[in-house]
Amino acid sequence: MKKLILIFALLLFASKGWVYSEIDSEEAESKATYKGPYDDETSGQRDARMAWWREARFGLFIHWGVYSVPAGTHKGEQIENIGEWIMHYGQIPVAEYQRYSKQFNPVDYDPEAWVLMAKNAGMKYIVITAKHHDGFALFDTAVSEWDIVDATPYGKDLLKPLAEAARKHDIKLGLYYSHAQDWVHPGGSFWDGHGWDPAQNGSMDDYLRDIAVPQVKELFTNYGEISILWWDTPIDMTPARAAMFDGLVELQPGIIVNNRLLYRHDGDLRTPEQNVPPTGLDYDWEACMTMNTTWGYKSYDDDWKSSEQLIRNLVDSASKGGNYLLNVGPMANGEIPQASIERLKDVGEWMSVNSSSIYGTTASPFIRLPWGRATKKEYPNATELYLHVFDWPEDGLLKVDGLRSEVSGAYFLADFQQQIQVNKTQEGIVLVLPDKPLDEIDTVIVLKITGKLDVERILPRQDGEGVLVLAMDDAHIHNPGYGGRLELRQDDNSTFYLDGWTDFQSRVDWLVRIDKPGIFDIYAEVAAEESASFLLMANDGQKPLTIKSSGGKQTFQTQHIGQLILSEGESTIGMHPQMSLWNPIMLRSVTLKPAENNPH
Ligand code: GLC
């Protein structure tokens, strides 16, 4: 079957330049042979099951395990990369790594304090690593000695008291479980296909049957209600292997499962890592992020994001319709780094005033607001629109272009008394604000809207000469549910550019409005070490184009890459990489100039 699909796909690829052929064949196969636990659910049942999670919008991720002992340093050498991967990046033999567990003694662990820290930050749920890729269980497992009870001086289950504290304080508990990668139990899979110690050799099917499946069963049986199962890195998982976990989800009725059990199986939610995806996606997602640059504790990683950044990331996620799962990496003694505690306190202060602009909200109705973000709550005959002002207007006039609805009231969440004047204009509305923000990070203004919400779609347009600039911060970035990490960055001059475009499955689209149609020359400002081919999608047609090497992966150059025809009206222009012809690029701008041969 697989072969047949592949041949068919290759034929299509040869004849039409079809890009996603191979992926689609795999997808077709895994969809055909793997049946997820909720595949037969109706959308109403699904909405009911997801309701608490969509309402919550904000959760705490905890990466904790034996890796917090070396904390980024092995045999005196600082090991690069994320801390919980130290065994892999340091190629530490199994027995040597296991010795670290003798120093894993979290006597200062205070699960109730952890739960309260999350709750006071405004978080509604916690997801903790029951077992990470190093195979170590934070819980008492009967199927392995490699757990907190048998392998450490501490000797007590860490999940039990956390589950109790969470229940006591009405916080939902989710469990992260690395089901495929396991670097200690023989047979677990590896990122690059192979281990580094003969002790790791074994059959993956045996490992799944003897370790992973029984452990998930233990987790679902011994800790009361579990609300989320957060699978991770489905390396070497096949539909048949995924099916070995069949029947377990039923032990926790209504549990939410993420998309990482099996590649290209969506689960209930997708999990963009370290980035916030674009708005308007028609599925549930949760952006998980670190506060510094590691998930598991590293003693010397002081690259902390500011509280401002974290609050704005939370708002950004909500404004795009998703959840924000923010990580802490506790130390081996059970303490959470002070820098994390302080930041969560700051987030909590902001949330104590503004949480109604986050909980239960849905995505912004605006395509783009130059000064910040918006979230909303819709009711049958009214809407509450929350304007999140990141950049306070210098002249005190906040323009909300495109808002056509009747605004019946406007107030600050931080001060209900202060008046805000609302003026209607040609473009939308303008709010007259005080000189200074009420909150430097994000002042939230509530607009009460009666009747139907009416927001005009304001799209990038051509200038007087007919030139259309596709700005990078207007780009809708699509990353595959798991894999690529194309993202928007800003350089030292605050110029936006796209970076991390390593995966051919990542793509970008711009929604534009064309007033002066015709033929356009396409100029791209790019940095590319090697040539990269993509399909340019416009007006429902597609055209293969190639970016040439610019002479280096950091060297920007403006290139004429071809022409396209655009007709009048709203249009989506997309750059979709071609599978085997794609190489990483950085992109600073795309400009469309009316061509000389333009008949208009
Ligand atoms: C990754 C990493 C991992 C981390 C996780 C968080 O897949 O392997 O260490 O736990 O993502 O999203």
Side-chain angles (χ1 to χ4, degrees):
M1 179 66 184
K2 185 169 181 176
K3 256 195 194 147
L4 258 182
I5 299 175
L6 200 68
I7 291 170
F8 177 66
L10 287 175
L11 277 176
L12 261 179
F13 185 68
S15 62
K16 287 192 172 170
W18 197 40
V19 250
Y20 294 112
S21 45
E22 201 176 51
I23 293 303
D24 276 359
S25 70
E26 272 175 35
E27 186 169 16
E29 191 178 27
S30 56
K31 283 220 167 112
T33 46
Y34 177 70
K35 191 163 170 352
Y38 299 115
D39 281 6
D40 295 331
E41 209 176 35
T42 64
S43 63
Q45 286 168 327
R46 192 181 139 73
D47 288 346
R49 195 165 55 80
M50 296 301 290
W52 76 263
W53 183 91
R54 290 177 186 156
E55 167 80 28
R57 284 290 173 251
F58 192 23
L60 178 71
F61 214 174
I62 303 176
H63 275 72
W64 198 27
V66 167
Y67 40 79
S68 62
V69 174
T73 306
H74 178 62
K75 288 188 171 161
E77 195 194 325
Q78 293 195 346
I79 308 292
E80 268 181 53
N81 229 304
I82 40 183
E84 72 284 3
W85 276 68
I86 190 166
M87 184 176 176
H88 167 101
Y89 287 109
Q91 300 280 289
I92 307 174
V94 172
E96 197 174 321
Y97 183 80
Q98 287 191 296
R99 282 201 286 278
Y100 280 124
S101 71
K102 298 290 166 242
Q103 297 166 61
F104 189 62
N105 193 15
V107 288
D108 295 326
Y109 176 46
D110 184 347
E112 187 160 15
W114 287 18
V115 168
L116 288 174
M117 176 191 74
K119 188 169 180 151
N120 293 335
M123 294 159 156
K124 296 288 191 184
Y125 60 104
I126 293 176
V127 179
I128 185 167
T129 50
K131 178 188 103 160
H132 205 269
H133 309 330
D134 67 356
F136 177 78
L138 292 190
F139 58 102
D140 186 12
T141 173
V143 295
S144 171
E145 304 272 281
W146 184 225
D147 72 353
I148 183 73
V149 176
D150 300 310
T152 75
Y154 189 72
K156 284 175 287 188
D157 192 310
L158 293 169
L159 295 188
K160 271 236 158 86
L162 186 69
E164 275 158 26
R167 213 164 298 128
K168 177 171 164 195
H169 294 288
D170 205 19
I171 292 290
K172 300 262 188 199
L173 183 68
L175 299 176
Y176 167 112
Y177 187 84
S178 175
H179 58 300
Q181 274 199 95
D182 189 314
W183 305 326
V184 163
H185 296 105
S189 63
F190 296 89
W191 188 250
D192 38 13
H194 54 84
W196 50 89
D197 179 343
Q200 294 165 323
N201 297 342
S203 135
M204 185 164 182
D205 292 322
D206 291 353
Y207 150 76
L208 288 170
R209 190 194 55 229
D210 298 339
I211 303 292
V213 170
Q215 285 195 337
V216 172
K217 189 167 182 188
E218 289 174 331
L219 290 169
F220 282 180
T221 316
N222 300 336
Y223 299 89
E225 188 184 331
I226 302 299
S227 301
I228 300 172
L229 182 59
W230 222 95
W231 305 106
D232 198 15
T233 60
I235 297 156
D236 294 342
M237 287 300 287
T238 59
R241 285 176 174 156
M244 292 172 77
F245 294 91
D246 277 0
L248 293 182
V249 157
E250 286 75 359
L251 296 171
Q252 289 286 338
I255 191 172
I256 291 171
V257 294
N258 76 353
N259 65 335
R260 296 189 182 183
L261 172 64
L262 180 67
Y263 284 114
R264 286 171 254 293
H265 183 77
D266 293 341
D268 296 320
L269 57 109
R270 301 197 201 180
T271 51
E273 199 171 302
Q274 303 285 33
N275 80 298
V276 178
T279 191
L281 300 175
D282 59 357
Y283 48 79
D284 292 298
W285 55 265
E286 173 189 69
C288 53
M289 267 191 216
T290 52
M291 283 196 206
N292 49 1
T293 64
T294 178
W295 303 93
Y297 177 65
K298 266 179 111 171
S299 62
Y300 49 91
D301 185 336
D302 293 317
D303 195 359
W304 299 99
K305 295 176 188 72
S306 64
S307 301
E308 172 181 288
Q309 187 67 55
L310 299 176
I311 291 167
R312 289 182 175 183
N313 287 347
L314 166 63
V315 173
D316 192 30
S317 303
S319 80
K320 289 170 175 165
N323 283 16
Y324 189 51
L325 186 65
L326 182 57
N327 183 72
V328 296
M331 300 185 260
N333 65 359
E335 272 179 61
I336 290 176
Q338 202 50 38
S340 301
I341 295 178
E342 283 161 16
R343 280 162 182 74
L344 288 178
K345 245 198 183 136
D346 292 342
V347 179
E349 261 167 45
W350 183 87
M351 282 292 274
S352 68
V353 174
N354 298 294
S355 66
S356 60
S357 68
I358 301 291
Y359 298 144
T361 59
T362 52
S364 169
F366 300 96
I367 290 186
R368 187 164 170 263
L369 292 169
W371 39 258
R373 300 287 183 275
T375 50
K376 68 175 188 319
K377 281 183 204 157
E378 281 178 297
Y379 306 99
N381 284 313
T383 300
E384 267 164 24
L385 204 54
Y386 299 91
L387 305 179
H388 297 261
V389 189
F390 293 175
D391 301 316
W392 199 253
E394 275 177 23
D395 58 3
L397 300 176
L398 190 79
K399 296 196 185 78
V400 191
D401 289 354
L403 182 57
R404 300 292 175 207
S405 310
E406 254 344 287
V407 177
S408 57
Y411 60 92
F412 294 108
L413 280 184
D415 183 356
F416 297 148
Q417 306 303 332
Q418 237 184 104
Q419 290 300 313
I420 304 174
Q421 198 184 313
V422 182
N423 297 331
K424 264 200 161 178
T425 62
Q426 190 95 35
E427 289 77 29
I429 64 159
V430 171
L431 304 178
V432 184
L433 302 183
D435 288 349
K436 289 213 161 68
L438 282 72
D439 187 313
E440 295 274 351
I441 296 175
D442 175 9
T443 303
V444 182
I445 298 166
V446 187
L447 296 184
K448 294 260 184 202
I449 310 263
T450 32
K452 228 178 99 45
L453 179 66
D454 183 7
V455 175
E456 189 190 315
R457 296 156 67 77
I458 298 186
L459 301 171
R461 286 191 128 126
Q462 291 158 283
D463 68 11
E465 257 75 76
V467 175
L468 179 66
V469 176
L470 304 177
M472 293 304 115
D473 52 336
D474 277 337
H476 295 252
I477 301 171
H478 307 265
N479 280 305
Y482 196 78
R485 293 190 199 154
L486 172 61
E487 61 191 7
L488 184 67
R489 299 220 176 118
Q490 259 179 307
D491 66 17
D492 296 343
N493 303 319
S494 302
T495 308
F496 286 107
Y497 66 102
L498 296 182
D499 197 9
W501 205 340
T502 51
D503 190 331
F504 84 95
Q505 296 176 89
S506 298
R507 54 191 173 84
V508 292
D509 292 309
W510 288 267
L511 253 179
V512 299
R513 189 179 323 272
I514 300 298
D515 309 306
K516 302 181 193 82
I519 305 173
F520 295 81
D521 280 310
I522 313 164
Y523 295 90
E525 199 186 346
V526 285
E529 192 159 32
E530 292 168 75
S531 69
S533 297
F534 63 95
L535 293 180
L536 184 81
M537 320 294 286
N539 287 0
D540 298 333
Q542 59 182 49
K543 189 175 189 179
L545 293 176
T546 298
I547 288 163
K548 295 182 288 288
S549 164
S550 64
K553 59 178 177 209
Q554 308 280 350
T555 316
F556 276 97
Q557 184 190 60
T558 300
Q559 298 182 7
H560 178 245
I561 51 174
Q563 289 194 324
L564 89 163
I565 301 172
L566 289 170
S567 48
E568 194 168 342
E570 232 179 72
S571 190
T572 301
I573 301 176
M575 286 176 68
H576 299 188
Q578 300 216 51
M579 182 166 51
S580 47
L581 305 172
W582 184 250
N583 288 303
I585 64 160
M586 291 200 281
L587 186 63
R588 222 186 246 161
S589 69
V590 176
T591 307
L592 308 179
K593 290 189 185 155
E596 296 210 339
N597 51 349
N598 195 336
H600 297 272

